[in-house]
Amino acid sequence: MSIDVPHRLASLSLSGRHYDIGHGLGRHGAALVHSHLVKTHAWATVMALRHHDRIRMARSLVEERYLQYLQELLGLADGLGLPFDEVFAWNCRGDVWAMAPDGCTTVQIPGPFPVVAHNEDGDPGLRAGCALASITPDQGQPFAAFVYPGSIPGHTFAINGSGLVLTVNNIRSTLAGDGLPRMVLSRAVLDCATIDAALTLLSKAPRSGAFHFTLAQAGQSRLASVEFTHTNCSIAEITNPAVHANHLVHMEMASEPQIITGSSCSRQERGQNIFDASDEPPAPLSVLWDQERCILPIYRAQPDDPDNENTLATAVFKIGKDSVNWAVYDRAGSVARFENTDLKIATM
């Protein structure tokens, strides 16, 4: 199987102050934001809520706790040439709107050397403005992450300078509340040195919206699955091969109200069926590139996708004794677009 896409995933390298990094991200994504994003229903929906009390509270909390990421957002707005309140609201989109875009599927394969793999699903109209960014702040961890135009890093898939791997899935919770934006929390995880530090951050912080994280780290055999909402945070150790398709699946989160789209339900069911049908875990790409269900497949390339999402990139992270071997693909059936040798991240 080979699926052609009109654009190859770009690479981007940024360093300096947090404001400078945000500004560079803004300049990179400005053309797509102005030609596409600001004309979408999603943008209009969030902009109608940009003066919401929840966003005002979120800004106050970010100013109090994470001034460095506020600087990234200020730089992002200036680089995009858009008002700060609009850009800040867009980066709070999942905290004020349950149907904010971005789907995603994560494969979790435990063992002495675990594997985490991830389909990043988002608005196909943003494809040309996405990039794999290698970022080295003056303060904080260096990292490589998939970035969307108009958004700060951290809410997709990434690896940081301590060999911490994270993949993030959208959760469409219907009970968000006052707290830190989920995208600022995910950006903060990129600055964590260990899995335990990330787990403490996510479980203790005041949270507004909901996300799912898979966390792994060079030199460790553990795989952590984290589902959090405004009110609850569930942490599970992955002991059997599993898939997570952007809705709450932990038993202790069963009572949390959420929206599960048809695609999300289908991808979860199909992915788990693939694992259940095999005595040995299949290759992660064979799961993430699966299109057996032609209407609602795991690998999403349909122009009429009901969630208006397509798979924009696939990442595979193989956790080693003292390093992480990772690769990023920008189309199904292709060779890797980027590998760990292409973008230098100093893992443990």
Side-chain angles (χ1 to χ4, degrees), residues 6-20:
H7 300 281
R8 303 308 305 269
L9 184 64
S11 64
L12 180 64
S13 182
L14 298 169
S15 62
R17 300 173 304 160
H18 288 281
Y19 175 90
D20 298 330

Side-chain angles (χ1 to χ4, degrees), residues 112-307:
F113 302 104
V115 175
V116 178
H118 181 82
N119 273 353
E120 182 59 36
D121 299 342
D123 179 355
L126 295 177
R127 186 190 297 273
C130 294
L132 188 66
S134 179
I135 295 178
T136 306
D138 286 348
Q139 296 181 331
Q141 293 267 358
F143 61 88
F146 181 96
V147 294
Y148 282 98
S151 296
I152 57 173
H155 63 105
T156 56
F157 60 81
I159 177 172
N160 76 5
S162 293
L164 182 68
V165 170
L166 60 145
T167 65
V168 186
N169 290 340
N170 187 18
I171 300 295
R172 295 185 167 103
S173 171
T174 57
L175 274 184
D178 289 343
L180 286 160
R182 62 182 193 170
M183 287 173 59
V184 170
L185 285 174
S186 59
R187 172 64 184 90
V189 170
L190 285 177
D191 273 331
C192 289
T194 65
I195 293 176
D196 285 331
L199 296 178
T200 298
L201 185 154
L202 295 173
S203 62
K204 300 297 185 183
R207 303 173 301 269
S208 181
F211 259 159
H212 170 264
F213 282 73
T214 300
L215 298 167
Q217 189 163 21
Q220 296 197 32
S221 62
R222 65 192 293 206
L223 278 183
S225 175
V226 185
E227 292 182 343
F228 72 75
T229 63
H230 170 58
T231 54
N232 289 322
C233 181
S234 170
I235 299 170
E237 297 289 329
I238 299 298
T239 57
N240 295 299
V243 65
H244 194 285
N246 82 279
H247 61 269
L248 299 169
V249 299
H250 292 187
M251 286 296 294
E252 64 183 271
M253 303 296 273
S255 63
E256 291 281 318
Q258 62 174 321
I259 296 170
I260 305 174
T261 69
S263 171
S264 182
C265 181
S266 177
R267 286 180 282 116
Q268 183 72 36
E269 182 180 78
R270 171 60 181 162
Q272 202 58 54
N273 286 346
I274 293 173
F275 281 126
D276 292 344
S278 177
D279 292 333
E280 295 293 329
L285 289 177
S286 71
V287 181
L288 291 176
W289 288 350
D290 182 81
Q291 291 189 305
E292 180 69 23
R293 295 185 173 183
C294 58
I295 303 299
L296 296 172
I298 294 177
Y299 188 91
R300 309 165 75 182
Q302 318 95 298
D304 62 346
D305 179 273
D307 298 339

